[in-house]
Amino acid sequence: MDLTAGIESFNKSMGVSFFKRKHSFVNFFFIFGISNLVLYVVSVLISSYKSRHDIIKLIYCIATFGFCCQAIMKIYSFIITRQRVVDLYEINHRYYQHMMGQSIAVKRVLCDNASLIYIVIKVTVLVYLLLVITAMSIPGLSSIFLADRILPFGFVMPFIDANTLAGYYANYGIQLIMAIYYWIITVGSDITTIYNLLTAYGQLDVLMTITEELNEQLERNESLDTIQDKIVEIIRQYQHHRTYLKQLVDFLNPYHFVTLISTVPTMVISVLGLVLLDWYPGAAIVFLGSVQIFYICFLGTSLELKVGVTDALTLKIGAIHWDKLSVRDMKFMKMVLMMSQKPKMLMAATLPLNITAFLQIHKFIYSLIMMLENTKG
Protein backbone atom coordinates (compact mmCIF):
# COMPACT_ATOMS: atom_id res chain seq x y z
CA MET A 1 0.00 0.00 0.00
CA ASP A 2 2.92 2.34 0.69
CA LEU A 3 4.34 1.61 -2.77
CA THR A 4 1.09 2.18 -4.63
CA ALA A 5 0.33 5.30 -2.55
CA GLY A 6 3.74 6.70 -3.53
CA ILE A 7 3.16 5.97 -7.22
CA GLU A 8 -0.33 7.48 -7.02
CA SER A 9 1.01 10.59 -5.29
CA PHE A 10 3.60 11.02 -8.05
CA ASN A 11 0.97 10.60 -10.79
CA LYS A 12 -1.15 13.36 -9.26
CA SER A 13 1.48 15.81 -10.48
CA MET A 14 0.24 15.18 -14.03
CA GLY A 15 -3.41 15.03 -13.01
CA VAL A 16 -3.99 11.29 -13.51
CA SER A 17 -4.64 8.19 -11.44
CA PHE A 18 -3.62 4.65 -12.40
CA PHE A 19 -5.14 2.92 -9.38
CA LYS A 20 -8.56 4.56 -8.84
CA ARG A 21 -11.43 3.49 -11.06
CA LYS A 22 -13.27 6.79 -10.65
CA HIS A 23 -11.09 9.75 -11.63
CA SER A 24 -11.87 13.06 -13.29
CA PHE A 25 -9.40 14.38 -15.86
CA VAL A 26 -10.94 17.83 -15.67
CA ASN A 27 -8.14 19.31 -13.59
CA PHE A 28 -5.42 21.90 -14.12
CA PHE A 29 -2.39 19.60 -14.23
CA PHE A 30 -3.83 17.22 -16.84
CA ILE A 31 -5.19 19.97 -19.11
CA PHE A 32 -1.95 21.93 -18.77
CA GLY A 33 0.12 18.86 -19.70
CA ILE A 34 -1.99 17.96 -22.74
CA SER A 35 -1.86 21.59 -23.88
CA ASN A 36 1.93 21.44 -23.69
CA LEU A 37 1.96 18.30 -25.84
CA VAL A 38 -0.27 19.94 -28.47
CA LEU A 39 1.92 23.05 -28.43
CA TYR A 40 5.00 20.85 -28.83
CA VAL A 41 3.60 19.04 -31.90
CA VAL A 42 2.57 22.33 -33.55
CA SER A 43 5.94 23.93 -32.79
CA VAL A 44 7.93 20.97 -34.18
CA LEU A 45 5.91 20.89 -37.41
CA ILE A 46 6.23 24.65 -37.96
CA SER A 47 9.93 24.67 -37.03
CA SER A 48 10.62 21.72 -39.36
CA TYR A 49 8.94 23.54 -42.24
CA LYS A 50 10.88 26.74 -41.60
CA SER A 51 14.16 24.80 -41.31
CA ARG A 52 13.63 22.63 -44.41
CA HIS A 53 16.62 24.24 -46.15
CA ASP A 54 18.96 23.90 -43.15
CA ILE A 55 19.77 20.21 -42.65
CA ILE A 56 21.25 20.65 -39.16
CA LYS A 57 18.21 22.49 -37.79
CA LEU A 58 15.88 20.07 -39.56
CA ILE A 59 17.57 17.03 -37.98
CA TYR A 60 17.48 18.79 -34.62
CA CYS A 61 13.71 19.27 -34.97
CA ILE A 62 12.95 15.75 -36.19
CA ALA A 63 15.24 14.02 -33.67
CA THR A 64 13.00 14.80 -30.71
CA PHE A 65 9.76 13.83 -32.46
CA GLY A 66 10.20 10.18 -31.44
CA PHE A 67 9.76 11.19 -27.81
CA CYS A 68 6.47 12.82 -28.80
CA CYS A 69 5.30 9.48 -30.27
CA GLN A 70 6.24 7.83 -26.97
CA ALA A 71 4.26 10.41 -24.99
CA ILE A 72 1.19 9.86 -27.19
CA MET A 73 1.43 6.08 -26.68
CA LYS A 74 1.81 6.55 -22.93
CA ILE A 75 -1.31 8.72 -22.89
CA TYR A 76 -3.21 6.13 -24.91
CA SER A 77 -2.04 3.15 -22.83
CA PHE A 78 -2.18 4.64 -19.34
CA ILE A 79 -4.99 7.19 -19.72
CA ILE A 80 -7.36 6.32 -22.57
CA THR A 81 -7.22 2.58 -21.77
CA ARG A 82 -6.60 3.30 -18.08
CA GLN A 83 -9.14 0.72 -16.93
CA ARG A 84 -6.73 -2.07 -17.90
CA VAL A 85 -4.11 -0.58 -15.57
CA VAL A 86 -6.71 -0.28 -12.80
CA ASP A 87 -7.71 -3.92 -13.36
CA LEU A 88 -4.10 -5.00 -12.81
CA TYR A 89 -3.89 -2.94 -9.63
CA GLU A 90 -7.09 -4.46 -8.24
CA ILE A 91 -5.83 -7.98 -9.05
CA ASN A 92 -2.63 -7.19 -7.13
CA HIS A 93 -4.58 -5.75 -4.21
CA ARG A 94 -6.70 -8.89 -3.84
CA TYR A 95 -3.59 -11.05 -4.23
CA TYR A 96 -1.71 -9.35 -1.37
CA GLN A 97 -4.80 -9.53 0.83
CA HIS A 98 -4.99 -13.28 0.22
CA MET A 99 -1.28 -13.67 0.94
CA MET A 100 -1.76 -12.29 4.46
CA GLY A 101 -3.03 -15.73 5.44
CA GLN A 102 0.06 -17.55 4.15
CA SER A 103 3.05 -18.81 6.10
CA ILE A 104 5.80 -16.60 7.52
CA ALA A 105 8.21 -17.82 4.80
CA VAL A 106 5.82 -16.73 2.02
CA LYS A 107 5.23 -13.32 3.62
CA ARG A 108 9.00 -12.87 4.01
CA VAL A 109 9.41 -13.50 0.25
CA LEU A 110 6.73 -10.91 -0.49
CA CYS A 111 8.42 -8.38 1.80
CA ASP A 112 11.74 -8.91 0.01
CA ASN A 113 9.98 -8.43 -3.33
CA ALA A 114 8.34 -5.22 -2.10
CA SER A 115 11.75 -3.93 -0.98
CA LEU A 116 13.20 -4.68 -4.42
CA ILE A 117 10.32 -2.84 -6.13
CA TYR A 118 10.89 0.16 -3.84
CA ILE A 119 14.62 0.32 -4.64
CA VAL A 120 14.18 -0.07 -8.43
CA ILE A 121 11.48 2.61 -8.51
CA LYS A 122 13.64 5.05 -6.53
CA VAL A 123 16.62 4.45 -8.84
CA THR A 124 14.43 4.89 -11.94
CA VAL A 125 13.08 8.23 -10.72
CA LEU A 126 16.59 9.51 -9.94
CA VAL A 127 18.16 8.27 -13.21
CA TYR A 128 15.47 9.85 -15.36
CA LEU A 129 15.67 13.08 -13.36
CA LEU A 130 19.45 13.19 -13.80
CA LEU A 131 19.07 12.68 -17.56
CA VAL A 132 16.54 15.50 -17.88
CA ILE A 133 18.67 17.86 -15.79
CA THR A 134 21.70 17.04 -17.93
CA ALA A 135 19.82 17.46 -21.23
CA MET A 136 18.37 20.80 -20.11
CA SER A 137 21.42 22.33 -18.41
CA ILE A 138 24.22 21.57 -20.90
CA PRO A 139 22.80 23.75 -23.75
CA GLY A 140 22.29 26.66 -21.35
CA LEU A 141 25.81 26.37 -19.91
CA SER A 142 27.27 26.00 -23.41
CA SER A 143 25.54 29.20 -24.51
CA ILE A 144 27.45 31.13 -21.84
CA PHE A 145 30.82 30.22 -23.40
CA LEU A 146 29.81 30.06 -27.08
CA ALA A 147 28.79 32.82 -29.44
CA ASP A 148 25.58 31.02 -30.44
CA ARG A 149 22.65 30.53 -28.10
CA ILE A 150 21.69 26.84 -27.96
CA LEU A 151 18.25 25.56 -27.01
CA PRO A 152 17.83 22.10 -25.45
CA PHE A 153 15.55 21.03 -28.32
CA GLY A 154 15.54 22.01 -31.98
CA PHE A 155 12.07 23.52 -32.23
CA VAL A 156 11.05 27.07 -31.31
CA MET A 157 7.68 28.47 -30.31
CA PRO A 158 5.63 30.04 -33.10
CA PHE A 159 5.74 33.85 -33.08
CA ILE A 160 8.62 33.90 -30.55
CA ASP A 161 11.94 34.85 -32.14
CA ALA A 162 14.66 32.75 -30.48
CA ASN A 163 17.37 35.03 -31.95
CA THR A 164 16.60 37.77 -29.42
CA LEU A 165 17.68 37.42 -25.80
CA ALA A 166 14.11 37.66 -24.48
CA GLY A 167 12.88 35.19 -27.11
CA TYR A 168 15.69 32.78 -26.25
CA TYR A 169 14.82 32.80 -22.54
CA ALA A 170 11.11 32.44 -23.34
CA ASN A 171 11.75 29.41 -25.57
CA TYR A 172 14.14 27.93 -23.02
CA GLY A 173 11.58 28.30 -20.24
CA ILE A 174 8.78 26.71 -22.27
CA GLN A 175 11.03 23.80 -23.31
CA LEU A 176 12.00 23.32 -19.66
CA ILE A 177 8.32 23.03 -18.68
CA MET A 178 7.73 20.53 -21.51
CA ALA A 179 10.77 18.49 -20.45
CA ILE A 180 9.52 18.34 -16.87
CA TYR A 181 6.10 17.14 -18.04
CA TYR A 182 7.74 14.52 -20.26
CA TRP A 183 9.81 13.38 -17.28
CA ILE A 184 6.69 13.08 -15.13
CA ILE A 185 4.66 11.10 -17.68
CA THR A 186 7.64 8.85 -18.49
CA VAL A 187 8.48 8.14 -14.87
CA GLY A 188 4.82 7.70 -13.92
CA SER A 189 4.18 5.10 -16.60
CA ASP A 190 7.53 3.34 -16.15
CA ILE A 191 7.36 2.96 -12.37
CA THR A 192 3.81 1.61 -12.71
CA THR A 193 5.13 -0.93 -15.23
CA ILE A 194 8.03 -1.83 -12.91
CA TYR A 195 5.61 -2.31 -10.01
CA ASN A 196 3.41 -4.66 -12.05
CA LEU A 197 6.25 -6.68 -13.57
CA LEU A 198 8.21 -7.11 -10.35
CA THR A 199 4.98 -8.16 -8.65
CA ALA A 200 4.78 -10.96 -11.23
CA TYR A 201 8.33 -11.97 -10.27
CA GLY A 202 7.27 -12.02 -6.63
CA GLN A 203 4.38 -14.34 -7.49
CA LEU A 204 6.89 -16.82 -8.94
CA ASP A 205 9.04 -16.58 -5.81
CA VAL A 206 5.96 -17.33 -3.73
CA LEU A 207 5.19 -20.36 -5.90
CA MET A 208 8.71 -21.68 -5.36
CA THR A 209 8.41 -21.14 -1.60
CA ILE A 210 5.08 -22.99 -1.47
CA THR A 211 6.59 -25.80 -3.55
CA GLU A 212 9.44 -26.08 -1.04
CA GLU A 213 6.88 -26.27 1.75
CA LEU A 214 5.14 -29.11 -0.12
CA ASN A 215 8.43 -30.96 -0.39
CA GLU A 216 9.03 -30.51 3.35
CA GLN A 217 5.55 -31.90 4.07
CA LEU A 218 6.32 -34.93 1.89
CA GLU A 219 9.57 -35.50 3.78
CA ARG A 220 7.66 -35.43 7.06
CA ASN A 221 5.09 -37.86 5.63
CA GLU A 222 2.21 -35.60 6.57
CA SER A 223 -1.42 -36.61 5.98
CA LEU A 224 -2.86 -37.01 2.49
CA ASP A 225 -5.36 -34.19 3.08
CA THR A 226 -2.61 -31.75 4.08
CA ILE A 227 -0.60 -32.65 0.96
CA GLN A 228 -3.65 -32.22 -1.26
CA ASP A 229 -4.48 -28.82 0.28
CA LYS A 230 -0.94 -27.63 -0.47
CA ILE A 231 -1.13 -28.89 -4.07
CA VAL A 232 -4.48 -27.15 -4.56
CA GLU A 233 -2.89 -23.94 -3.26
CA ILE A 234 0.01 -24.32 -5.73
CA ILE A 235 -2.39 -24.82 -8.63
CA ARG A 236 -4.51 -21.85 -7.54
CA GLN A 237 -1.46 -19.59 -7.21
CA TYR A 238 -0.07 -20.69 -10.56
CA GLN A 239 -3.38 -20.12 -12.34
CA HIS A 240 -3.52 -16.65 -10.83
CA HIS A 241 0.04 -15.92 -11.93
CA ARG A 242 -0.53 -17.05 -15.53
CA THR A 243 -3.77 -15.06 -15.83
CA TYR A 244 -2.13 -11.97 -14.35
CA LEU A 245 1.02 -12.24 -16.46
CA LYS A 246 -0.97 -12.79 -19.68
CA GLN A 247 -3.06 -9.71 -18.95
CA LEU A 248 0.06 -7.68 -18.17
CA VAL A 249 2.09 -8.84 -21.18
CA ASP A 250 -0.83 -8.32 -23.58
CA PHE A 251 -1.04 -4.76 -22.27
CA LEU A 252 2.70 -4.04 -22.37
CA ASN A 253 3.71 -5.59 -25.72
CA PRO A 254 2.00 -2.97 -27.97
CA TYR A 255 3.22 -0.22 -25.63
CA HIS A 256 6.83 -1.41 -25.85
CA PHE A 257 6.55 -1.94 -29.62
CA VAL A 258 5.66 1.73 -30.17
CA THR A 259 8.43 2.79 -27.76
CA LEU A 260 11.02 0.87 -29.78
CA ILE A 261 9.85 1.95 -33.26
CA SER A 262 9.89 5.59 -32.12
CA THR A 263 13.10 5.53 -30.07
CA VAL A 264 15.39 3.64 -32.46
CA PRO A 265 14.76 5.99 -35.45
CA THR A 266 15.28 8.94 -33.10
CA MET A 267 18.66 7.51 -32.10
CA VAL A 268 19.58 6.80 -35.74
CA ILE A 269 18.71 10.36 -36.82
CA SER A 270 20.73 11.73 -33.92
CA VAL A 271 23.69 9.57 -34.97
CA LEU A 272 23.41 10.94 -38.51
CA GLY A 273 23.60 14.48 -37.19
CA LEU A 274 26.42 13.64 -34.80
CA VAL A 275 28.68 11.90 -37.34
CA LEU A 276 27.95 13.76 -40.56
CA LEU A 277 27.28 17.26 -39.21
CA ASP A 278 29.14 17.30 -35.87
CA TRP A 279 25.80 17.94 -34.14
CA TYR A 280 26.93 17.18 -30.58
CA PRO A 281 23.56 17.60 -28.79
CA GLY A 282 22.59 14.42 -30.66
CA ALA A 283 24.81 12.46 -28.25
CA ALA A 284 22.52 13.39 -25.34
CA ILE A 285 19.44 12.22 -27.26
CA VAL A 286 21.13 8.92 -28.17
CA PHE A 287 22.02 8.35 -24.52
CA LEU A 288 18.48 9.16 -23.33
CA GLY A 289 16.98 6.74 -25.87
CA SER A 290 19.52 4.07 -24.91
CA VAL A 291 18.56 4.29 -21.22
CA GLN A 292 14.86 3.90 -22.05
CA ILE A 293 15.51 0.82 -24.20
CA PHE A 294 17.77 -0.61 -21.49
CA TYR A 295 14.98 -0.42 -18.91
CA ILE A 296 12.58 -2.26 -21.20
CA CYS A 297 15.11 -4.98 -22.07
CA PHE A 298 16.32 -5.29 -18.47
CA LEU A 299 12.78 -6.01 -17.26
CA GLY A 300 12.32 -8.51 -20.10
CA THR A 301 15.54 -10.29 -19.21
CA SER A 302 14.56 -10.41 -15.54
CA LEU A 303 11.31 -12.09 -16.53
CA GLU A 304 13.16 -14.59 -18.73
CA LEU A 305 15.48 -15.51 -15.87
CA LYS A 306 12.42 -16.32 -13.77
CA VAL A 307 10.33 -18.22 -16.29
CA GLY A 308 12.59 -18.87 -19.26
CA VAL A 309 15.22 -21.44 -20.06
CA THR A 310 16.67 -21.33 -16.55
CA ASP A 311 13.24 -21.55 -14.95
CA ALA A 312 13.81 -22.04 -11.24
CA LEU A 313 10.15 -22.95 -10.70
CA THR A 314 10.38 -25.88 -13.11
CA LEU A 315 13.48 -27.12 -11.28
CA LYS A 316 11.73 -26.79 -7.91
CA ILE A 317 8.73 -28.78 -9.08
CA GLY A 318 10.94 -31.41 -10.67
CA ALA A 319 12.92 -31.85 -7.44
CA ILE A 320 10.00 -32.73 -5.14
CA HIS A 321 9.51 -36.26 -3.78
CA TRP A 322 7.33 -37.56 -6.58
CA ASP A 323 7.52 -41.08 -5.18
CA LYS A 324 5.55 -39.96 -2.13
CA LEU A 325 2.67 -38.49 -4.14
CA SER A 326 -0.55 -40.31 -4.92
CA VAL A 327 -1.37 -40.96 -8.56
CA ARG A 328 -3.99 -38.18 -8.48
CA ASP A 329 -1.56 -35.68 -6.98
CA MET A 330 1.12 -36.69 -9.49
CA LYS A 331 -1.24 -35.76 -12.33
CA PHE A 332 -1.93 -32.37 -10.77
CA MET A 333 1.75 -31.57 -10.30
CA LYS A 334 2.56 -32.83 -13.79
CA MET A 335 0.01 -30.36 -15.13
CA VAL A 336 1.72 -27.52 -13.24
CA LEU A 337 5.11 -28.69 -14.53
CA MET A 338 3.89 -28.67 -18.15
CA MET A 339 2.33 -25.21 -17.82
CA SER A 340 5.52 -23.79 -16.32
CA GLN A 341 7.42 -24.74 -19.50
CA LYS A 342 5.25 -22.46 -21.68
CA PRO A 343 5.74 -18.99 -20.14
CA LYS A 344 4.61 -15.60 -21.45
CA MET A 345 7.41 -13.21 -22.44
CA LEU A 346 7.74 -9.51 -23.19
CA MET A 347 7.81 -9.03 -26.97
CA ALA A 348 7.92 -6.21 -29.52
CA ALA A 349 6.19 -7.82 -32.52
CA THR A 350 8.37 -10.94 -32.94
CA LEU A 351 11.43 -9.60 -31.11
CA PRO A 352 11.88 -10.85 -27.51
CA LEU A 353 12.68 -7.90 -25.26
CA ASN A 354 15.87 -8.83 -23.43
CA ILE A 355 19.50 -7.77 -23.11
CA THR A 356 20.28 -9.61 -26.36
CA ALA A 357 17.83 -7.34 -28.18
CA PHE A 358 19.38 -4.31 -26.47
CA LEU A 359 22.84 -5.33 -27.70
CA GLN A 360 21.56 -6.02 -31.22
CA ILE A 361 20.00 -2.56 -31.45
CA HIS A 362 23.22 -0.88 -30.33
CA LYS A 363 25.30 -3.09 -32.60
CA PHE A 364 23.19 -1.88 -35.52
CA ILE A 365 23.68 1.76 -34.46
CA TYR A 366 27.45 1.20 -34.02
CA SER A 367 27.66 -0.39 -37.48
CA LEU A 368 25.83 2.62 -38.89
CA ILE A 369 28.32 4.98 -37.22
CA MET A 370 31.29 3.07 -38.68
CA MET A 371 29.72 3.05 -42.13
CA LEU A 372 29.08 6.79 -41.96
CA GLU A 373 32.61 7.47 -40.74
CA ASN A 374 34.04 5.54 -43.68
CA THR A 375 31.73 7.36 -46.09
CA LYS A 376 32.62 10.69 -44.54
CA GLY A 377 36.30 9.91 -44.82
Side-chain angles (χ1 to χ4, degrees):
M1 294 304 297
D2 286 342
L3 280 170
T4 54
I7 295 172
E8 192 72 349
S9 176
F10 185 89
N11 291 333
K12 284 182 180 178
S13 58
M14 58 176 167
V16 303
S17 170
F18 295 160
F19 300 145
K20 293 180 180 178
R21 197 163 288 279
K22 292 183 179 180
H23 176 76
S24 174
F25 290 100
V26 184
N27 60 75
F28 171 78
F29 292 107
F30 181 73
I31 295 173
F32 178 76
I34 295 299
S35 300
N36 271 284
L37 182 61
V38 173
L39 178 60
Y40 167 77
V41 173
V42 172
S43 301
V44 168
L45 293 176
I46 293 175
S47 298
S48 298
Y49 178 77
K50 290 182 178 179
S51 305
R52 64 189 184 277
H53 300 303
D54 188 330
I55 189 64
I56 296 179
K57 290 183 178 180
L58 182 61
I59 287 178
Y60 204 2
C61 287
I62 296 175
T64 57
F65 198 73
F67 298 121
C68 172
C69 297
Q70 285 186 38
I72 292 171
M73 187 61 185
K74 292 176 191 295
I75 290 171
Y76 172 79
S77 299
F78 288 89
I79 297 174
I80 296 177
T81 62
R82 189 178 67 92
Q83 296 304 319
R84 298 176 68 184
V85 186
V86 176
D87 289 342
L88 290 167
Y89 165 72
E90 291 180 348
I91 290 171
N92 282 333
H93 187 66
R94 290 192 297 269
Y95 173 78
Y96 284 117
Q97 283 183 323
H98 175 71
M99 287 296 104
M100 292 302 292
Q102 292 289 335
S103 66
I104 295 175
V106 169
K107 287 188 280 190
R108 186 182 297 116
V109 167
L110 287 174
C111 286
D112 291 342
N113 183 249
S115 299
L116 175 63
I117 296 172
Y118 178 82
I119 293 169
V120 174
I121 285 177
K122 284 289 186 181
V123 170
T124 302
V125 173
L126 292 175
V127 167
Y128 280 12
L129 179 61
L130 180 62
L131 287 173
V132 170
I133 291 173
T134 302
M136 296 304 298
S137 60
I138 289 178
L141 293 174
S142 300
S143 300
I144 297 174
F145 303 102
L146 299 176
D148 297 329
R149 299 189 187 100
I150 303 172
L151 287 169
F153 307 112
F155 62 92
V156 294
M157 297 299 106
F159 313 115
I160 300 180
D161 186 6
N163 294 319
T164 65
L165 184 61
Y168 171 76
Y169 283 126
N171 274 281
Y172 206 110
I174 294 171
Q175 290 188 8
L176 176 62
I177 293 171
M178 291 181 176
I180 291 172
Y181 180 75
Y182 178 78
W183 172 71
I184 292 172
I185 193 173
T186 299
V187 171
S189 58
D190 284 2
I191 62 178
T192 304
T193 300
I194 289 168
Y195 166 73
N196 286 325
L197 270 172
L198 292 185
T199 296
Y201 306 160
Q203 293 169 3
L204 285 168
D205 289 333
V206 165
L207 274 165
M208 287 188 284
T209 303
I210 297 176
T211 303
E212 288 178 352
E213 291 177 347
L214 170 64
N215 204 28
E216 291 171 0
Q217 289 176 345
L218 290 170
E219 288 179 352
R220 294 194 298 265
N221 295 315
E222 295 195 9
S223 66
L224 185 61
D225 290 340
T226 304
I227 299 298
Q228 287 180 348
D229 289 343
K230 184 64 70 174
I231 291 175
V232 168
E233 180 65 21
I234 291 173
I235 294 172
R236 185 185 295 117
Q237 292 293 335
Y238 196 74
Q239 286 174 334
H240 167 84
H241 168 72
R242 284 183 66 87
T243 303
Y244 173 79
L245 190 59
K246 181 181 185 304
Q247 191 170 340
L248 177 60
V249 169
D250 289 345
F251 167 74
L252 287 178
N253 283 349
Y255 167 70
H256 286 155
F257 175 73
V258 172
T259 300
L260 281 183
I261 65 173
S262 60
T263 304
V264 173
T266 295
M267 295 171 67
V268 170
I269 292 171
S270 300
V271 166
L272 286 171
L274 178 64
V275 176
L276 296 181
L277 305 170
D278 295 329
W279 179 60
Y280 297 108
I285 294 177
V286 172
F287 186 67
L288 179 59
S290 179
V291 170
Q292 289 185 312
I293 294 175
F294 174 78
Y295 260 97
I296 295 172
C297 294
F298 168 75
L299 291 171
T301 297
S302 300
L303 184 60
E304 280 190 357
L305 291 175
K306 288 286 185 183
V307 301
V309 179
T310 60
D311 185 4
L313 177 61
T314 302
L315 297 175
K316 287 284 184 185
I317 296 172
I320 65 173
H321 295 284
W322 288 82
D323 57 308
K324 295 186 178 183
L325 291 174
S326 67
V327 174
R328 177 175 175 270
D329 292 341
M330 280 185 182
K331 289 180 179 179
F332 283 136
M333 292 306 296
K334 182 180 179 182
M335 179 182 65
V336 176
L337 186 62
M338 291 174 64
M339 288 192 300
S340 68
Q341 294 171 351
K342 297 179 181 179
K344 292 284 290 184
M345 297 293 182
L346 289 179
M347 303 278 292
T350 58
L351 177 68
L353 293 176
N354 50 32
I355 294 299
T356 301
F358 176 80
L359 295 175
Q360 287 176 343
I361 291 169
H362 285 74
K363 182 179 178 181
F364 165 74
I365 294 174
Y366 176 77
S367 300
L368 179 64
I369 293 174
M370 291 299 98
M371 183 183 69
L372 291 174
E373 282 287 356
N374 293 334
T375 305
K376 185 179 178 180

